[in-house]
Amino acid sequence: MTIPMAAQEPPTGPQSGTVGTSGTVGTSGTSGTSGIGVRGGAAGATSRATLPVIMLALATVVAAVASLNVALPSIARDTHATQTQLSWIIDAYALPFAALLLLGGAIGDRYGRRRALIAGLAIFGAGSVAALAVSTPGWLIALRAVLGAGAALVMPATLSTITATFPADQRPRAVGAWTGVAGASALLGVLTSGLLLEFWSWRSVFGLNVALAVVALAATLRVIPESADPSAPRLDLFGALLTVVGLGVTVYSVIEAPTEGWTSPWTLGGIAGGLAVLAGFVAWELRARSPLLDPRLFGHRAFAAGTLSITVQFFGFFGFIFLVLQYLQLVRGDSALRAALSLLPMSLAIMSGARGMAPRLVPRVGARPVIILGLVLVTAGLLVISRLEGTSAYWSLLAGLLPLGAGMGLAMTPATTAITEALPAAKQGVGSAVNDLARELGGALGIAVLGSVMQSTYRDQLQPAGLPDQVVEQARSSLAVASRLGPEVARQAQSAFVDGMQLALTCAAVAAAVAALAVAALLRRDRAAAAVPHPASSGPASVSPKSPEAESFAMKS
C-alpha cells in the first residue's frame, strides 16, 4: 500500500528537519509533506487531542469482533442458527475486516484518511442499524460483513497516527496504550454486551455499535484533521480482489469442513484453491508497481517476528473467546453477564502487561525475551483452560485466564513496536497496516479453524441412541439446539462440546508454542540487524534500511 502522509512524519523536536515527500531533509525544525508541518508544541497538543478519538474509533471496531460472542446462545435459540452459521456470524465480520484492511489504508492515503474514517464509521453505524431488524441467520451474516467492510476503513489510520504524533521517547507507552485498547476492547465489548443482555435481546448489541459509531463519528468530525497524499499511486484493485477471494475461499472451506468432511473434495479443493489464489497474490504483489503489500518486507527478521507473534496471539485469543463464552453459558449454565464478568480478569491482565510490565522490561532485557515470555505464558494459559471439564470450578478457568492475559499484554507491545520500528520512517504506514492485518487475520483464522476443530469433534462424539435421524442431526447442528431436546441429549451434547473445546484450545496452545520458537530464531542477536528490503517502486522516498528506529530495535533485541 502507499505510505500514509502522517506516518512519514517523524516526531518533531529541536533537531527535527523538514521531511518532504521526496525524502529530502532540511533544517527548519518542522516536519510534514512538502515542507509544511507542525511545530513541537502544536504537535504535542494535536497528539493529546487526537489520541482519545483514535482510541474510541479503534475500540468501536475491535469490540465488535467479539461483543456478539456472548449473544450466540440467544441468537441460536431465536434464529435456529446451526453451529456452522454461528461461526459465520462471527467470522463474517472478521474476514472482510482482515481482507480489506490494506485496501482501506490505500483508500485513506489517496482520498483522505479523515474521509475514510468518516465513511467507515458511517458504514459501520448504518449496518448496525439495519441489523436491529433482522431475524434470520443469513441476513445477520450479510450485515456483519457490511460492518467488517466499514471497520476496514476505520482501523488503518490508528496506529500510524500514533507513530507519527508521539516523540520517540513517548512512543512505546503510546503503543502500549494502543495494544492495551486493541486487546482489552474485545473483552470490554463482551462485558458490555453481557450487561445489555440482562435487560434486552441480542439486538441490543447492535444498538451499542450504533451508539459508539455515532460518538466516534462526531468526535472525528470535530477533532481529526484531514490528510491525504496527492501523489498516491493508483489503487491496486486486482491485488485487493485476490486477497478477498483467496481468504474467502480458504476460510469458507475451513468453516464448512465439519459438515462437508475434512477429506471431502469440496473441502480439500477449496483450501487448495484458496491457498493457490493467495500464492498468486504474492506473485502479483512482487511485480506490481504500487503493491498493497510488498512481500519482500518480511525478509526483515524483526518485522516478520512481530507479525507472526501478533497473528498467532489473536488466532488463539478470538478462537478462545468464541468457544469459552458458549462453554460458560451452555455447559456451565451461566447468564450472559456472569459469563462476560468471568473474563474480566483477563482484560485487566492484558492492560497490566501492555501498559505496565512490557514498557519496563523491554528497555532492561530487550524485546526478544519479553515476546518469548509472553508467548510462553499464552501457551500455558491455553493449556490450563484446555483441561476444563463441564463441572470445573471457576478457579480452574481463572488459573488460565491470568497467564493468558498477562502473556498477551507482554508480547503484544514489543511485537507491535517490532513491526513499526523495524522499518524506516518512510515505511511506517506499511508497518501499521501489517500490524492491523495480522490482528484481524489471526482472529478470523482462529474463529474458523478452532471453531471447526471443535465442531468436528462435537459432531463425531454426539451419537444419541434411540432418536430419529432428523432429531439426531438437529442435536449435532449446535449445542444450543441440543440443549432443548431433553436432559439426556443435552448432557451428551455438553460432554461432546467440552471434548471439542479441549482439542481446539490444545491446538491453539501448540500454535503459540511454535510461534515462541520461531520468534526466538528470528530475533537472534547476531541476526537482528538484517537489512530491510524495499519495494521496487519506492524511488527517492526510500531511506536507508538502517534507520534509527531499525538500529534501536536491533540493539534491544
Side-chain angles (χ1 to χ4, degrees):
M1 64 175 283
T2 57
I3 311 303
M5 180 174 67
Q8 291 179 351
E9 300 171 8
T12 57
Q15 304 302 321
S16 298
T18 301
V19 181
T21 55
S22 66
T24 59
V25 178
T27 58
S28 64
T30 63
S31 66
T33 58
S34 304
I36 301 173
V38 182
R39 295 191 180 274
T46 299
S47 66
R48 286 191 296 272
T50 58
L51 184 61
V53 179
I54 290 297
M55 293 297 100
L56 176 61
L58 174 66
T60 298
V61 297
V62 171
V65 179
S67 60
L68 204 61
N69 279 278
V70 74
L72 287 179
S74 59
I75 290 174
R77 287 190 292 265
D78 290 353
T79 67
H80 305 290
T82 66
Q83 191 66 44
T84 298
Q85 288 174 322
L86 293 179
S87 295
W88 272 119
I89 288 170
I90 301 302
D91 235 6
Y93 179 83
L95 181 59
F97 194 172
L100 297 173
L101 263 175
L102 294 176
L103 180 62
I107 290 173
D109 291 345
R110 186 174 179 86
Y111 300 109
R113 283 169 285 279
R114 182 172 181 267
R115 292 189 184 96
L117 188 59
I118 291 170
L121 289 169
I123 293 171
F124 183 91
S128 298
V129 170
L132 293 171
V134 303
S135 58
T136 63
W139 276 109
L140 194 54
I141 291 168
L143 288 172
R144 285 276 291 174
V146 172
L147 267 65
L153 288 169
V154 172
M155 193 174 185
T158 55
L159 185 58
S160 59
T161 299
I162 289 176
T163 57
T165 302
F166 281 81
D169 60 335
Q170 298 179 18
R171 194 177 304 147
R173 288 192 177 276
V175 171
W178 191 94
T179 56
V181 169
S185 290
L187 290 176
L188 292 177
V190 167
L191 178 61
T192 306
S193 298
L195 180 61
L196 291 173
L197 291 170
E198 288 291 298
F199 304 99
W200 297 288
S201 75
W202 55 266
R203 292 179 177 84
S204 61
V205 178
F206 290 99
L208 173 65
N209 289 347
V210 174
L212 291 174
V214 168
V215 174
L217 182 57
T220 298
L221 290 169
R222 181 176 179 83
V223 173
I224 303 297
E226 182 59 277
S227 62
D229 183 1
S231 62
R234 287 172 26 178
L235 299 178
D236 182 12
L237 295 179
F238 185 68
L241 177 63
L242 290 175
T243 305
V244 172
V245 173
L247 289 177
V249 171
T250 302
V251 170
Y252 176 87
S253 302
V254 170
I255 290 179
E256 296 293 330
T259 53
E260 295 289 341
W262 283 97
T263 59
S264 72
W266 284 106
T267 300
L268 295 178
I271 293 175
L275 294 177
V277 174
L278 292 175
F281 167 75
V282 173
W284 170 266
E285 296 298 288
L286 286 170
R287 296 193 303 269
R289 275 192 183 185
S290 304
L292 284 173
L293 174 65
D294 191 330
R296 285 179 287 262
L297 291 172
F298 292 95
H300 192 294
R301 287 173 171 263
F303 187 87
T307 303
L308 174 64
S309 175
I310 292 293
T311 302
V312 173
Q313 287 176 65
F314 280 82
F315 173 89
F317 174 70
F318 282 112
F320 159 77
I321 292 294
F322 176 72
L323 297 174
V324 81
L325 284 170
Q326 295 181 72
Y327 162 80
L328 290 171
Q329 294 178 77
L330 296 174
V331 177
R332 288 175 51 91
D334 293 346
S335 68
L337 179 58
R338 184 171 181 178
L341 287 171
S342 297
L343 302 184
L344 185 58
M346 181 181 177
S347 178
L348 299 176
I350 290 175
M351 294 297 290
S352 175
R355 301 204 63 182
M357 292 184 287
R360 290 184 176 91
L361 286 175
V362 171
R364 296 178 181 177
V365 301
R368 180 176 182 266
V370 176
I371 297 176
I372 295 171
L373 174 61
L375 290 172
V376 169
L377 288 174
V378 168
T379 302
L382 289 170
L383 284 175
V384 170
I385 298 171
S386 73
R387 298 300 93 198
L388 290 176
E389 300 286 349
T391 57
S392 297
Y394 174 70
W395 303 109
S396 301
L397 174 63
L398 182 63
L401 290 177
L402 293 179
L404 177 57
M408 288 190 66
L410 276 174
M412 275 195 295
T413 299
T416 300
T417 304
I419 294 172
T420 58
E421 292 195 352
L423 300 180
K427 299 298 178 188
Q428 285 298 295
V430 172
S432 301
V434 171
N435 182 81
D436 297 344
L437 175 62
R439 291 169 180 271
E440 302 313 318
L441 180 59
L445 293 176
I447 295 165
V449 174
L450 300 184
S452 291
V453 169
M454 182 281 296
Q455 175 70 351
S456 295
T457 305
Y458 173 80
R459 292 179 63 87
D460 291 342
Q461 295 289 336
L462 183 59
Q463 300 289 343
L467 294 176
D469 292 343
Q470 183 179 3
V471 176
V472 171
E473 188 57 36
Q474 288 178 354
R476 296 174 72 199
S477 68
S478 76
L479 176 56
V481 173
S483 298
R484 297 188 295 177
L485 298 177
E488 181 59 26
V489 175
R491 184 191 62 78
Q492 294 181 41
Q494 289 170 355
S495 177
F497 183 92
V498 170
D499 290 344
M501 184 183 73
Q502 289 177 343
L503 178 59
L505 294 181
T506 300
C507 293
V510 171
V514 171
L517 295 175
V519 168
L522 287 168
L523 295 182
R524 291 197 303 271
R525 290 180 182 274
D526 60 335
R527 301 292 298 276
V532 184
H534 293 294
S537 61
S538 57
S542 296
V543 297
S544 170
K546 295 184 179 180
S547 66
E549 293 91 341
E551 294 286 4
S552 172
F553 183 81
M555 290 187 290
K556 290 178 182 178
S557 300

